[in-house]
Amino acid sequence: KKVVIVGGVAGGASAAARLRRLDEQAEIILLERDEHISFANCGLPYYIGETIRERDKLLVQTPEAMRARFAIDVRVNSEVTAIEPEKKMIRINSRDRGCYEESYDVLLLSPGAQPVRPPIPGIDSPRIFTLRNIPDTDRIKAMVDRENTQRVAVIGGGFIGVEMAENLRERGLAVTLVEAAPHILPPFDSDMALLIERELQDHGVTVHVGDGVAHFAEQAEGMLVTLQSGRQIVADMVVLAIGVAPATGFLKDSGIALGKRGHILVDEHMATNQTDIYAVGDAVEVVDLVTGQPAAVPLAGPANKQGRIAADNIAGIPSAYKGTQGTAILKVFDLTAAATGNNERSLARLQVPYQAIYVHPNSHASYYPDALQLTIKLLFGNDGKILGAQAVGPESIDKHIDVLATAIRLNGTVQDLTELELSYAPPYSSAKDPVNMAGFVAE
Ligand code: FAD
C-alpha cells in the first residue's frame, strides 16, 4: 500500500509514525512544503522569549531521523498543488525536483492552518510579523534581538497573541496588546478574561480591548498603528495574531468537500467525501463534543489524536473520533488560565439552557503555607450535565481543568463531581477538592 501524507508537523507526523507501527510494509511518503517537519509549534513563543534557549530543541524530529527511524520517504520543500481523486494522483512543486506527479493508494491531508492577514491598509509592511513556523520564529527573534527594537504592538488577544505579549515583555520590550472584541481570549467569558487582562496590565503590558486596527503606516519614528477609535500606537514591530484560516486553497478543484470557511469536511473516521482520502488537524471541521455542532478548533491535542485515528483506519483498524471539546491552557506571568467545553457566549448563541456557578477555593489546605486563591467557573445544563468550565489562578489550574475535562468527556454531571475521590494531602489540595466544591455548589 502506498500512503501519501500532506503536511509533516502535528497531525501528519503522528499519522506517519502510527502507520509505520501498524504496517511495516506500507510505502509512506511525507510531503512538507517547508524545510522542517515535526517541530514544536507550541514552543515557538517561548523560544522568542528565551525560556527555551536552544533552537534545536524546537526540532522534535528531523527529516533524516524520520527516514532512519521509521523508513518514511520524507520530502521537504515539497508543496502539493493539486489533487485528482479520480486518477489517484497528486501534483507536487518541489524546490529540488521541480514539478512532478505522484500516485497514491491512500492520501492523508494534514495541511494545518495559516495566520489570517486581512486587507488592512499598510499590512504588507516588513515590520508586521505573523507566527506559525520556524522561519517566522527566526524572523521575529532576529527583529526582537535588534537593539533598536523596543516597542511592540501585538494585534489579537487569542492564545498566541497573549503568549507573545508575555514573552516579549519578558524580553524587556514595551508591549501593547490590541483586541477588537470586548475582551481577550475568546474561549473564556468576559468575567474570567478580565482576570487575565489585569495580570497582563500588572506586568506592564498595555491592553486595549474593543478596538480593532484601522490602518498601519510606516513613519520615520516607527510603525504607526491607528485603531478604530482613533487611538494611535507607535511600535518598532507588530505581531499580528488575529486567528488562522485552514490551508486548503490547493484543494479548490479537487472535489473534496469543504465547509463554509474552507475546512475539510470529514466523517468520524476522518475520511473525506472522496474515496481513500483522509484529513486531520487544524484544516478539518470537527463536531463539538458537548453540543454536537460543527466546530473548528485549532489545537495540537486534537490534531495528534486525529492523525492516530486516521492511521488506524488506513491500516484497517476501525477507529472513530468523537469530537473536540476545546480544552486549552495558557500561562500569563504568574497566573494560569484554562478552559474546557463551552462558554456562556457559545451556549447562549446555540440557545442551550445552562446555569453558571463560581467557586473561589484555596489551591491547597489554607493552614499549609502559601495557599493561594483560585477562581473556577462551572457551566451545566438543567439536567446537571457539565457543559463547560474555566479556571484562573496561580497554581494547580491544569489539574482541576483536566479533571473537569475528563468528566465532560465521560458525559459527567455535577453530581459526579461531588463523588470524585481526588488526591489530597495539605500541600496539594483540600479534603473537599476544588472540583468537589464546584459540584457541591452546583448540585
Ligand atoms: P501543522 O502542525 O501546522 O502542520 C501542517 C503542515 O502542513 C505545515 O508545516 C505546512 O507547511 C504543511 N502544508 C500546508 N499545506 C501544504 C501543501 N499544500 N503541501 C505540503 N505541505 C503543506 N496548540 C495547543 O494545543 N497548545 C498550544 O500551546 C499551542 N501553541 C501554539 C503556538 C503557536 C505559535 C502556534 C502557531 C500554534 C500553537 N498551537 C497550540 C496549535 C497547534 O500547533 C496546531 O493545532 C497543530 O500544529 C495543528 O496540526 P496540523 O497538523 O493540523 O497543522
Side-chain angles (χ1 to χ4, degrees):
K1 186 157 27 177
K2 179 174 176 184
V3 182
V4 176
I5 299 174
V6 183
V9 191
S14 13
R18 172 78 176 159
L19 195 60
R20 173 54 76 225
R21 285 196 194 96
L22 295 173
D23 184 346
E24 285 182 8
Q25 308 306 326
E27 179 185 359
I28 305 173
I29 301 176
L30 185 68
L31 299 166
E32 168 55 55
R33 74 175 163 198
D34 287 336
E35 194 183 326
H36 307 95
I37 59 158
S38 198
F39 61 88
N41 323 46
C42 312
L44 304 180
Y46 301 97
Y47 171 68
I48 294 167
E50 295 189 336
T51 301
I52 300 170
R53 292 207 161 253
E54 291 162 57
R55 187 174 175 281
D56 278 358
K57 290 252 191 305
L58 299 172
L59 305 172
V60 181
Q61 192 75 263
T62 60
E64 298 71 36
M66 194 94 179
R67 272 182 215 121
R69 186 157 167 226
F70 295 104
I72 289 167
D73 180 356
V74 180
R75 303 182 194 167
V76 292
N77 301 311
S78 300
E79 178 167 14
V80 175
T81 53
I83 296 177
E84 293 181 63
E86 61 287 356
K87 290 197 207 151
K88 289 205 152 185
M89 197 69 99
I90 61 174
R91 209 164 309 136
I92 301 159
N93 189 357
S94 156
R95 199 181 64 185
D96 307 322
R97 298 166 62 171
C99 288
Y100 65 99
E101 290 192 335
E102 190 70 63
S103 66
Y104 64 84
D105 297 321
V106 182
L107 187 62
L108 191 152
L109 308 173
S110 190
Q114 57 212 10
V116 173
R117 259 180 180 265
I120 300 171
I123 191 115
D124 293 328
S125 158
R127 286 179 193 264
I128 301 179
F129 300 83
T130 54
L131 178 61
R132 179 79 195 179
N133 52 28
I134 302 274
D136 295 341
T137 306
D138 291 339
R139 276 191 290 269
I140 293 177
K141 188 149 190 304
M143 186 73 180
V144 174
D145 289 345
R146 274 159 61 164
E147 217 171 287
N148 50 3
T149 302
Q150 286 168 1
R151 303 157 299 179
V152 57
V154 177
I155 313 299
F159 282 78
I160 294 174
V162 173
E163 286 181 353
M164 284 306 294
E166 182 197 29
N167 277 287
L168 294 171
R169 187 74 199 118
E170 300 275 21
R171 291 287 310 267
L173 270 62
V175 179
T176 304
L177 179 66
V178 174
E179 169 58 57
H183 65 80
I184 62 167
L185 296 174
F188 293 81
D189 291 316
S190 57
D191 45 10
M192 301 298 278
L194 210 60
L195 303 174
I196 307 300
E197 288 172 14
R198 220 176 284 151
E199 180 74 359
L200 286 164
Q201 284 157 341
D202 288 349
H203 286 81
V205 175
T206 305
V207 180
H208 298 306
V209 294
D211 205 357
V213 174
H215 49 86
F216 298 103
E218 294 247 23
Q219 296 203 330
E221 70 272 27
M223 182 65 134
L224 185 67
V225 186
T226 305
L227 305 187
Q228 255 130 24
S229 65
R231 188 192 298 272
Q232 297 197 310
I233 302 158
V234 182
D236 303 309
M237 69 182 288
V238 172
V239 176
L240 191 71
I242 55 172
V244 292
T248 52
F250 70 110
L251 302 178
K252 218 170 40 214
D253 303 318
S254 67
I256 295 172
L258 303 179
K260 273 200 290 289
R261 291 189 295 139
H263 296 93
I264 305 168
L265 302 182
V266 290
D267 66 13
E268 59 177 358
H269 305 297
M270 309 312 298
T272 69
N273 66 328
Q274 298 292 331
T275 313
D276 293 326
I277 302 184
Y278 293 79
V280 302
D282 289 0
V284 304
E285 188 173 288
V286 292
V287 170
D288 180 309
L289 180 81
V290 177
T291 64
Q293 295 295 312
V297 186
L299 288 171
N304 279 279
K305 287 185 192 70
Q306 292 160 13
R308 195 182 156 86
I309 287 170
D312 285 354
N313 286 304
I314 291 168
I317 301 170
S319 179
Y321 186 70
K322 298 194 184 100
T324 300
Q325 65 195 90
T327 308
I329 190 162
L330 167 87
K331 172 185 165 320
V332 191
F333 297 104
D334 301 328
L335 286 184
T336 301
T340 185
N342 280 241
N343 61 21
E344 288 200 59
R345 211 175 39 259
S346 55
L347 292 171
R349 192 179 58 235
L350 297 168
Q351 299 184 318
V352 178
Y354 70 89
Q355 297 174 53
I357 61 101
Y358 299 82
V359 287
H360 301 280
N362 283 318
S363 55
H364 54 250
S366 52
Y367 55 80
Y368 188 89
D370 302 326
L372 298 161
Q373 202 183 51
L374 317 176
T375 301
I376 300 178
K377 176 175 186 173
L378 185 69
L379 301 169
F380 53 99
N382 294 338
D383 54 358
K385 188 181 165 191
I386 309 161
L387 302 172
Q390 297 160 47
V392 176
E395 61 181 34
S396 69
I397 291 298
D398 50 346
K399 170 169 84 167
H400 302 312
I401 223 64
D402 281 347
V403 171
L404 290 161
T406 307
I408 291 178
R409 182 61 53 170
L410 301 178
N411 220 358
T413 63
V414 293
Q415 164 114 44
D416 293 324
L417 299 185
T418 67
E419 293 170 6
L420 291 176
E421 187 182 316
L422 301 165
S423 57
Y424 161 62
Y428 299 104
S429 187
S430 302
K432 285 183 196 137
D433 182 274
V435 170
N436 295 142
M437 290 301 298
F440 293 138
V441 173
E443 208 178 22

